[in-house]
C-alpha cells in the first residue's frame, strides 16, 4: 500500500469564528498531513509546490469535504510566511451583519453593541496567510472592501475612515462555480478575477479511489486514538466495499463513517454494517443506474438511517458533509420526501 504523508509542525495562529472551533481543533490535531499518492493528488501537490513560495492569491475549488482547508495549510506551510499567522475565516458560518466587522475590524461605538475596538481578521493575519473558506457566500455589499484589500493592501475598520496597511497572502476556497455566480450577478467579476490568480481544483474522493486504503488506515489510526478504541485489523473486504462507495460527502463523510464503525467494532477488527456501505456483493453503481439516481438513493438511505433528521449532531447533513440548506435543496431537486406514516 503506497501513500504519501507530508508532515510539518508549526505554531501558527488559528483564528476562526466560534461556530467552527470544533472543526478547527480537529484539523489542528491532524495539521500537516496530506494523504494520497494518486496521480490526481500528486498533481494537486505539484501545483501547491509551484505557487507556495510566491505571494500569489490561490483559489481552491472542490466539493464539500474534499479537504480544502488542509490544502490551504499546505500552501502556508510551504511559503516564506510559514512562521507567521494562519487565520481561518468561514464566510458561510458568520452572520452577514457581522462579517464586515469580523474581517476588517471595528472601532468602539461603530454600531450598537460595539463596546470596544476590535481588530479584524486581516490585521490578525498581517505578514501571514488568511484562508477565506466558502468565499462564494460572501455578501455582495462586503465584496468591494475585500477587493480593496487585494488591490491596495489596505483595510478600513468600521467607524474609522483611516486605512490600515496589511501584508496578507490570501487563499480562498469554494464549492460553487464562481463563473455562474458572476453571470447571475451574485459575485463581482472584478473580485473573481483578483481571486482566480492561481486556481487549483481538488479532486473528489470518487476521482481518487486508489487513495482510499491509505486514507482509511490513516483515519482509523487517528480516530482510534481519539475514541480510545484500538483497531488492529482492517479486512480487505471492508476496504473493497469502501472503494465502491460513491462518497458524495468525500473525505468528511468517510471520516464520519469510520468513526461510527470504530465505535461498534469489536476485538480490534474494523467492521462496517450495511447501514453505512452497500452490501459487498452489490456495487454502489451499475451501468443501468444514472449518477442522479445513485445520489437520490444514497441521500434517501442516509435520511432513513437517521430517521429523517437533517440538522444537528448525527443528522443527515453532518453525515453527508453538507450544509442543511444544501441538503434540503438537493432533496427538493431529487424529489426526496419523507414517507408518510400510517
Amino acid at each position: 500500500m503506497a501513500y504519501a504523508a507530508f508532515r510539518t509542525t508549526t505554531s501558527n495562529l488559528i483564528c476562526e469564528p466560534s461556530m467552527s472551533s470544533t472543526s478547527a481543533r480537529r484539523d489542528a490535531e491532524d495539521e500537516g498531513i496530506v494523504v494520497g499518492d494518486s496521480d490526481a493528488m500528486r498533481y494537486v501537490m505539484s501545483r501547491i509546490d509551484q505557487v507556495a513560495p510566491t505571494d500569489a492569491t490561490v483559489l481552491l475549488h472542490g466539493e464539500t469535504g474534499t479537504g480544502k482547508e488542509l490544502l490551504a495549510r499546505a500552501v502556508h506551510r510551504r511559503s516564506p510566511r510559514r512562521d507567521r499567522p494562519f487565520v481561518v475565516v468561514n464566510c458561510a458560518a458568520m452572520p452577514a451583519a457581522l462579517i464586515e466587522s469580523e474581517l476588517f475590524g471595528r472601532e468602539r461605538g461603530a454600531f450598537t453593541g460595539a463596546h470596544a475596538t476590535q481588530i479584524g481578521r486581516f490585521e490578525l493575519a498581517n505578514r501571514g496567510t488568511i484562508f477565506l473558506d466558502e468565499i462564494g457566500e460572501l455578501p455582495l455589499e462586503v465584496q468591494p472592501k475585500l477587493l480593496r484589500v487585494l488591490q491596495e493592501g489596505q483595510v478600513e475598520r468600521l467607524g474609522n475612515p483611516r486605512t490600515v496597511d496589511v501584508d496578507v497572502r490570501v487563499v480562498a476556497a469554494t464549492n460553487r462555480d464562481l463563473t455562474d455566480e458572476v453571470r447571475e450577478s451574485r459575485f463581482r467579476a472584478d473580485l473573481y478575477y483578483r481571486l482566480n490568480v492561481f486556481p487549483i481544483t481538488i479532486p473528489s474522493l470518487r476521482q481518487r479511489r486508489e487513495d482510499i486504503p491509505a486514507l482509511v488506515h490513516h483515519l482509523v489510526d487517528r480516530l482510534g486514538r481519539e475514541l480510545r478504541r484500538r483497531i488492529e485489523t482492517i479486512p480487505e473486504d471492508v476496504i473493497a466495499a469502501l472503494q465502491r462507495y460513491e462518497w458524495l460527502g468525500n473525505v468528511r463523510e468517510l471520516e464520519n463513517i469510520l468513526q461510527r464503525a470504530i465505535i461498534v467494532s469489536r476485538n480490534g477488527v474494523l467492521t462496517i454494517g450495511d447501514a453505512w456501505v452497500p452490501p459487498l456483493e452489490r456495487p454502489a453503481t451499475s451501468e443501468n443506474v444514472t449518477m442522479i439516481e445513485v445520489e437520490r438513493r444514497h441521500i434517501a438511505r442516509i435520511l432513513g438511517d437517521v430517521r429523517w433528521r437533517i440538522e444537528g449532531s448525527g443528522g443527515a447533513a453532518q453525515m453527508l458533509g453538507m450544509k442543511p440548506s444544501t441538503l434540503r435543496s438537493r432533496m427538493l431537486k431529487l424529489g426526496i420526501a419523507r414517507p408518510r406514516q400510517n
Side-chain angles (χ1 to χ4, degrees):
M1 180 189 313
Y3 70 96
F6 304 89
R7 300 171 184 264
T8 38
T9 57
T10 61
S11 56
N12 296 323
L13 169 68
I14 303 170
C15 182
E16 292 197 351
S18 58
M19 303 81 152
S20 54
S21 59
T22 301
S23 174
R25 288 193 299 270
R26 185 176 64 246
D27 289 337
E29 292 168 359
D30 225 25
E31 187 177 5
I33 301 176
V34 178
V35 178
D37 200 33
S38 62
D39 289 343
M41 283 306 296
R42 283 180 178 272
Y43 177 71
V44 167
M45 296 310 298
S46 72
R47 295 276 287 170
I48 287 175
D49 285 336
Q50 287 176 330
V51 74
T54 74
D55 282 336
T57 300
V58 178
L59 181 61
L60 302 173
H61 183 271
E63 296 178 7
T64 296
T66 49
K68 295 185 284 292
E69 182 177 334
L70 186 64
L71 292 172
R73 292 180 188 279
V75 173
H76 177 70
R77 290 193 306 273
R78 288 163 168 75
S79 77
R81 299 172 183 261
R82 65 179 66 89
D83 296 322
R84 299 294 179 176
F86 178 82
V87 177
V88 179
V89 178
N90 188 328
C91 298
M94 288 189 287
L98 296 179
I99 192 168
E100 183 175 351
S101 66
E102 289 290 333
L103 286 175
F104 309 116
R106 64 171 183 261
E107 296 292 336
R108 179 179 179 181
F111 53 84
T112 302
H115 301 300
T117 297
Q118 175 182 301
I119 65 172
R121 304 300 171 90
F122 273 93
E123 288 183 75
L124 284 173
N126 191 38
R127 301 179 67 189
T129 302
I130 192 167
F131 174 52
L132 302 176
D133 198 10
E134 304 290 357
I135 190 66
E137 306 289 339
L138 193 69
L140 267 173
E141 59 270 21
V142 180
Q143 292 179 23
K145 282 203 167 187
L146 176 57
L147 182 63
R148 180 175 185 174
V149 178
L150 294 173
Q151 289 178 329
E152 303 174 18
Q154 295 180 327
V155 298
E156 186 177 302
R157 296 178 187 169
L158 282 175
N160 189 339
R162 296 178 59 185
T163 58
V164 178
D165 292 334
V166 291
D167 172 18
V168 180
R169 202 262 182 85
V170 175
V171 179
T174 182
N175 58 9
R176 295 189 179 191
D177 186 337
L178 291 184
T179 58
D180 286 345
E181 298 298 300
V182 170
R183 281 193 291 269
E184 296 295 327
S185 300
R186 292 190 293 262
F187 203 86
R188 291 177 62 109
D190 47 5
L191 177 57
Y192 169 69
Y193 292 123
R194 281 284 177 178
L195 291 170
N196 199 42
V197 175
F198 198 89
I200 299 176
T201 299
I202 304 170
S204 68
L205 194 53
R206 299 183 301 281
Q207 295 171 313
R208 57 184 190 108
R209 294 179 188 273
E210 60 268 44
D211 288 333
I212 289 176
L215 280 165
V216 170
H217 281 80
H218 168 72
L219 290 171
V220 166
D221 178 65
R222 177 170 67 80
L223 293 170
R225 284 184 275 110
E226 291 177 4
L227 296 169
R228 296 187 293 278
R229 293 289 185 90
R230 186 172 180 176
I231 299 295
E232 298 176 342
T233 303
I234 304 176
E236 288 299 321
D237 58 350
V238 169
I239 293 290
L242 292 172
Q243 285 186 292
R244 291 201 299 264
Y245 197 61
E246 285 307 301
W247 301 117
L248 300 181
N250 293 289
V251 179
R252 188 176 302 158
E253 186 185 5
L254 174 62
E255 183 175 352
N256 289 342
I257 286 178
L258 290 175
Q259 190 170 26
R260 286 169 170 79
I262 291 169
I263 292 171
V264 301
S265 295
R266 296 291 182 268
N267 302 319
V269 179
L270 187 72
T271 56
I272 301 179
D274 290 346
W276 307 114
V277 296
L280 300 183
E281 68 273 13
R282 283 188 290 133
T285 61
S286 72
E287 295 179 358
N288 298 321
V289 180
T290 66
M291 285 301 297
I292 291 177
E293 178 61 17
V294 169
E295 182 181 8
R296 189 192 69 77
R297 293 179 184 179
H298 178 60
I299 291 176
R301 182 175 56 79
I302 294 296
L303 284 164
D305 290 340
V306 298
R307 299 183 180 180
W308 291 81
R309 181 155 57 91
I310 293 176
E311 300 189 43
S313 178
Q318 183 188 68
M319 290 179 59
L320 290 165
M322 61 178 67
K323 294 185 294 184
S325 59
T326 303
L327 176 55
R328 290 190 178 94
S329 175
R330 295 303 299 161
M331 289 171 63
L332 184 64
K333 183 173 182 179
L334 295 170
I336 301 172
R338 182 171 185 168
R340 294 182 179 180
Q341 295 182 347
N342 295 328

